[in-house]
Amino acid sequence: MSSSPAEPQAAYFPIRVVSNETGVNAITLRAWERRYGLITPKRTAKGHRLYTEADIHLIRKVVSLLERGIPISQAKSMLENGTPEAEPLASMPAQPSQWHQYRARLNQAVNEFDDAALASVMDEVTSFFPADITLRFLLLPLHQQLHEQMSTPLGGARFAFFAGFLEGRLTSRLAEAPEGQTKGTLVLANTTQEDALELLLLGIMLRPLGVRILRLGGLVPPADISAMVNELTLQGAIIRITGHPNDQQLQQLQNLAAETGQLIFAIGHNQDQTDLLRRKGIVTLSGDLQQDALTVRDVLTGIQT
């Protein structure tokens, strides 16, 4: 499926802008073009892709269908056949979306501590959807749901079970080389005793954006992160910190930023700590993992260019 012919004065947008506008990363956009012929962007003399407003509108239609759990191949057929685009989730009828069904199956597997059922559902989902879409519409919502249920009987155990399963599944993916041109290498480390699954998920979302991740397991002191960044001449680190760092922790973070002279991104802090952390030389992230991945990519690109 190609985009509608553009007017001579139509505006064109590079893939980076389209990715930011639609929430679909560049690797996925290129895959949709190659594998499904979903969109045929124009090319510059150097081969760079350029998209029109009509392309962006079409991509948003596809995302709307994906939100309902419709695989990309089926979404393409629906759009080609003129099927009305999906309604927003808030206005959908009572029939659950495919994502809701997948989430219900995963939730049942977690409730029963059934790792085989978890693996079966995950294998099915990842055969139809790319990793960033699966994270956005399935894994992150379920992770949040389980986190909110931690105070219920066995809630903490179920959350830990799901987090452990995901950690095992995703860690091997993190070790794979990033797709496309590498924009930099970052250490991924947890400096707290708290759950680090969101940190791992952020690392996974950075891989298709061309960022190489070196993940350190367990609790890692900032001094060790500093030594690793300096020894390997890396571009920096993404660290999980506590919500309200005390004076000693703040000093350690300031030392980490000063000793490396590189980018130190942080998640896990409360938003009222943002200004203080920035004054310590820390690049604060919002907690919206989709946006945070784009922020890390953009900051790395800006530093290198």
Side-chain angles (χ1 to χ4, degrees):
M1 179 185 298
S2 61
S3 56
S4 302
E7 295 297 327
Q9 299 302 316
Y12 291 98
F13 305 91
I15 196 168
R16 178 173 171 180
V17 171
V18 176
S19 179
N20 288 336
E21 286 289 320
T22 63
V24 181
N25 69 53
I27 299 296
T28 298
L29 289 174
R30 288 193 284 266
W32 288 357
E33 175 188 339
R34 291 193 305 268
R35 298 176 190 172
Y36 306 106
L38 186 66
I39 288 176
T40 305
K42 291 188 176 295
R43 300 279 188 145
T44 67
K46 293 185 177 180
H48 298 303
R49 292 169 173 81
L50 293 175
Y51 298 80
T52 65
E53 288 279 7
D55 293 329
I56 294 175
H57 182 62
L58 178 59
I59 293 166
R60 285 174 173 155
K61 284 185 177 182
V62 173
V63 171
S64 182
L65 293 171
L66 290 174
E67 287 176 348
R68 293 174 57 182
I70 297 171
I72 183 65
S73 56
Q74 187 176 343
K76 176 177 182 291
S77 176
M78 292 174 67
L79 292 171
E80 287 178 336
N81 294 331
T83 303
E85 61 189 271
E87 294 294 328
L89 289 177
S91 62
M92 285 175 59
Q95 181 180 2
S97 75
Q98 186 66 36
W99 288 121
H100 290 167
Q101 295 176 41
Y102 280 135
R103 196 183 310 170
R105 290 169 60 191
L106 285 178
N107 196 50
Q108 180 179 352
V110 170
N111 285 339
E112 297 173 356
F113 297 95
D114 188 340
D115 52 356
L118 271 178
S120 176
V121 178
M122 285 294 295
D123 288 343
E124 180 180 334
V125 174
T126 54
S127 70
F128 289 119
F129 300 96
D132 61 314
I133 297 296
T134 301
L135 285 169
R136 180 176 173 185
F137 295 126
L138 180 63
L139 300 182
L140 291 179
L142 181 57
H143 174 262
Q144 180 62 31
Q145 175 186 327
L146 293 172
H147 188 271
E148 292 170 355
Q149 297 172 353
M150 285 185 65
S151 61
T152 63
L154 285 181
R158 290 191 173 101
F159 179 83
F161 174 71
F162 181 65
F165 172 83
L166 277 189
E167 183 173 345
R169 294 277 297 205
L170 299 179
T171 298
S172 60
R173 286 187 56 86
L174 200 60
E176 299 172 3
E179 302 174 24
Q181 182 178 1
T182 301
K183 297 176 176 62
T185 301
L186 300 174
V187 174
L188 196 72
N190 186 9
T191 67
T192 78
Q193 296 279 9
E194 301 165 23
D195 170 55
L197 181 57
E198 290 185 359
L199 188 67
L200 176 59
L201 292 173
L202 178 57
I204 293 294
M205 298 182 82
L206 283 167
R207 182 179 167 274
L209 298 179
V211 180
R212 179 173 176 246
I213 295 294
L214 299 179
R215 177 176 176 266
L216 304 182
L219 188 155
V220 185
D224 289 352
I225 300 170
S226 175
M228 184 171 179
V229 170
N230 288 331
E231 179 71 20
L232 300 180
T233 319
L234 305 180
Q235 282 66 54
I238 305 174
I239 60 176
R240 194 200 196 294
I241 64 175
T242 189
H244 287 87
N246 59 34
D247 290 343
Q248 179 182 1
Q249 291 167 334
L250 287 171
Q251 186 61 54
Q252 291 175 336
L253 293 174
Q254 184 172 2
N255 292 344
L256 173 59
E259 290 169 2
T260 63
Q262 300 294 344
L263 295 164
I264 305 299
F265 299 93
I267 65 170
H269 58 281
N270 288 13
Q271 291 306 304
D272 60 6
Q273 300 292 298
T274 297
D275 289 342
L276 176 59
L277 290 167
R278 287 176 177 170
R279 291 197 296 272
K280 301 296 183 181
I282 303 300
V283 182
T284 57
L285 299 174
S286 67
D288 179 339
L289 299 185
Q290 178 81 11
Q291 185 57 51
D292 287 344
L294 295 174
T295 297
V296 172
R297 186 274 315 271
D298 290 345
V299 172
L300 275 176
T301 301
I303 290 295
Q304 292 185 354
T305 58

